Amino acid sequence: MNQNGTLYIKDVETLLNLTNDQKEQKNQDLMNIVQMYLNDNEQATYEQIAEALGSPEHMAAELMYDITEVEKYQARENQKKVYTAVAAVCLAVAIGACAAVAYFIQNPYTEEITTVIDYTESLPSYWDYAVKYGINYEYDEKGIIVRATDNDGNEIAVDEKGIPLDKEKYFIEEEEK
């Protein structure tokens, strides 16, 4: 079946107000009719198909000739129910979205996030002396301690790790570390 035949069938199908079972049977009949025409006219245009078989509206009416008014009414009612259900779902989603937006506008999420980082293991060994005795350290561009002073600016002798050499004046017990 060529593209024009397929397009013609789709146009007719959209005009059929039938139940799914009825539509399936009528679609099969329609496909047979169009295929029989195209067997003799393989390159037929859409207009040629519509001229030979009738407009999509005419063909839909022909296919529905044996359907009673009650069956047509039932098909329309089923279609209305589907449309109503889809509309109700869309409305419920829209109401839910509006309610969520309104809730978050009135109750913004402002909970504070606090993270405790235990970095005591990564502190240099001289840190306890700096804190307890107020020792200030000066470093060169490589991060090596070049000078240590107390809060009064007096220079303090320290080893290469920054620990004061005067253990009597600058003493820290093991539990203080």
Side-chain angles (χ1 to χ4, degrees):
M1 182 170 304
N2 71 20
Q3 184 178 1
N4 293 321
T6 304
L7 182 59
Y8 179 81
I9 290 171
K10 285 185 180 187
D11 288 347
V12 174
E13 287 176 348
T14 59
L15 298 169
L16 297 175
N17 287 325
L18 303 171
T19 63
N20 286 341
D21 292 337
Q22 293 169 331
K23 194 177 257 191
E24 188 175 312
Q25 176 60 44
K26 296 300 178 178
N27 286 346
Q28 189 61 45
D29 294 344
L30 176 61
M31 287 176 65
N32 290 337
I33 292 168
V34 173
Q35 188 60 51
M36 284 189 334
Y37 174 76
L38 290 175
N39 285 343
D40 296 330
N41 305 288
E42 293 179 13
Q43 300 300 321
T45 65
Y46 183 91
E47 290 76 19
Q48 290 170 330
I49 296 170
E51 187 177 316
L53 302 179
S55 69
E57 293 81 8
H58 176 76
M59 179 57 75
E62 287 290 320
L63 289 169
M64 292 176 50
Y65 78 95
D66 63 339
I67 306 296
T68 66
E69 288 301 316
V70 171
E71 291 173 318
K72 290 178 186 176
Y73 175 78
Q74 288 173 339
R76 283 192 302 273
E77 287 302 308
N78 287 345
Q79 203 171 32
K80 285 180 186 176
K81 288 177 184 175
V82 169
Y83 290 144
T84 303
V86 168
V89 168
C90 290
L91 182 62
V93 168
I95 289 172
C98 289
V101 168
Y103 174 81
F104 285 112
I105 287 173
Q106 291 176 352
N107 304 306
Y109 185 74
T110 57
E111 185 175 318
E112 220 175 278
I113 299 173
T114 305
T115 305
V116 177
I117 300 172
D118 184 16
Y119 57 88
T120 55
E121 292 178 9
S122 63
L123 292 175
S125 56
Y126 61 83
W127 184 256
D128 295 323
Y129 295 96
V131 171
K132 183 173 182 179
Y133 296 107
I135 299 174
N136 303 302
Y137 295 91
E138 294 178 21
Y139 311 90
D140 65 8
E141 63 277 346
K142 295 179 184 175
I144 297 173
I145 299 172
V146 292
R147 184 169 178 233
T149 57
D150 62 17
N151 283 335
D152 296 327
N154 300 320
E155 196 159 329
I156 301 171
V158 293
D159 64 10
E160 66 278 350
K161 294 180 182 177
I163 299 172
L165 297 176
D166 186 351
K167 300 291 184 199
E168 290 180 20
K169 184 174 182 183
Y170 301 105
F171 176 75
I172 293 185
E173 294 184 24
E174 196 57 39
E175 30 321 310
E176 291 182 73
K177 291 185 178 182

